[in-house]
Amino acid sequence: VKAKWTYKIGDNDVTMTVVKVDKVNNEDHYQVDTFAGKEAKAGEAKLSEWFVVRADGVYRTRIKDDKLDPYVKVLPLPVKKDVAWDVNSKLGTQVIKGSFKVKSEKDKVKIKPAGATSEVEYDAVLVEGENMDVAGTKTTVRVWFAKDRWIIKEEVSVVGSDKVTLELSKFEDGK
């Protein structure tokens, strides 16, 4: 709780913060609120998501007021190259379908933190969901996870649109 990530998306900052933990069916569900632009200053979340950590992976369980049914695995545990899993879930009336795969356990990712003069290189786990069906739209998602940092980079490509890249610029562990 209180861990905070600040990401750059183009010229904009987006902040994600673990705001609380709730017990649901004897599991800890972590609420992560996302703030962007003016919302960050006003303290109003643009988006709330919930995650649970299980023996076989980290799952997204809810977005805003809608439960993911079934939950969507975002990172398998333990992490092993070429591990793949299918997603066939509903969020309200929207369908999320496709498959994810661990493409690399040690992908080298360079990121320039806020205020730094040089880049920092991370060994990251790359998880990719190629040609996912997200609410009827073909979407490719690539997410890089680094030890003790969670998501350090994410790319989302929607057919017919530009790719959106999110990169970690600052991490605070909340302690």
Side-chain angles (χ1 to χ4, degrees):
V1 175
K2 295 183 183 172
K4 183 177 178 180
W5 298 262
T6 302
Y7 295 97
K8 279 276 185 214
I9 300 177
D11 293 332
N12 298 312
D13 283 342
V14 172
T15 302
M16 297 175 75
T17 304
V18 179
V19 294
K20 67 179 181 174
V21 181
D22 291 325
K23 279 277 190 214
V24 178
N25 298 326
N26 244 5
E27 292 181 308
D28 288 337
H29 286 241
Y30 295 84
Q31 180 181 339
V32 178
D33 284 357
T34 300
F35 304 89
K38 293 177 181 145
E39 291 90 354
K41 292 179 180 74
E44 293 180 24
K46 187 173 187 82
L47 177 70
S48 294
E49 301 173 273
W50 284 259
F51 295 88
V52 66
V53 180
R54 293 179 169 168
D56 69 332
V58 179
Y59 292 79
R60 182 177 280 120
T61 65
R62 221 169 94 199
I63 300 174
K64 292 187 179 179
D65 296 326
D66 292 320
K67 180 181 162 195
L68 282 153
D69 187 23
Y71 297 165
V72 173
K73 186 186 291 188
V74 293
L75 180 67
L77 296 175
V79 173
K80 290 197 187 323
K81 187 178 185 307
D82 295 329
V83 167
W85 63 99
D86 291 330
V87 173
N88 188 0
S89 186
K90 278 192 159 187
L91 179 66
T93 59
Q94 297 180 349
V95 171
I96 301 166
K97 194 171 186 173
S99 61
F100 281 103
K101 182 176 184 177
V102 176
K103 300 291 274 187
S104 173
E105 290 178 76
K106 294 208 187 299
D107 211 44
K108 300 287 186 195
V109 178
K110 289 183 179 180
I111 292 176
K112 188 173 178 183
T117 55
S118 61
E119 295 178 318
V120 174
E121 185 173 85
Y122 291 95
D123 282 331
V125 172
L126 170 57
V127 173
E128 183 178 82
E130 196 171 9
N131 293 317
M132 303 280 295
D133 177 353
V134 179
T137 303
K138 288 290 179 207
T139 305
T140 295
V141 179
R142 301 177 86 212
V143 184
W144 288 264
F145 297 89
K147 185 175 171 50
D148 300 325
R149 289 292 182 271
W150 184 237
I151 295 172
I152 59 166
K153 183 175 179 179
E154 184 171 354
E155 293 177 352
V156 178
S157 303
V158 177
V159 171
S161 297
D162 291 336
K163 175 173 61 176
V164 175
T165 302
L166 169 143
E167 284 191 351
L168 183 67
S169 63
K170 185 178 179 183
F171 172 73
E172 300 164 61
D173 65 12
K175 295 177 182 167

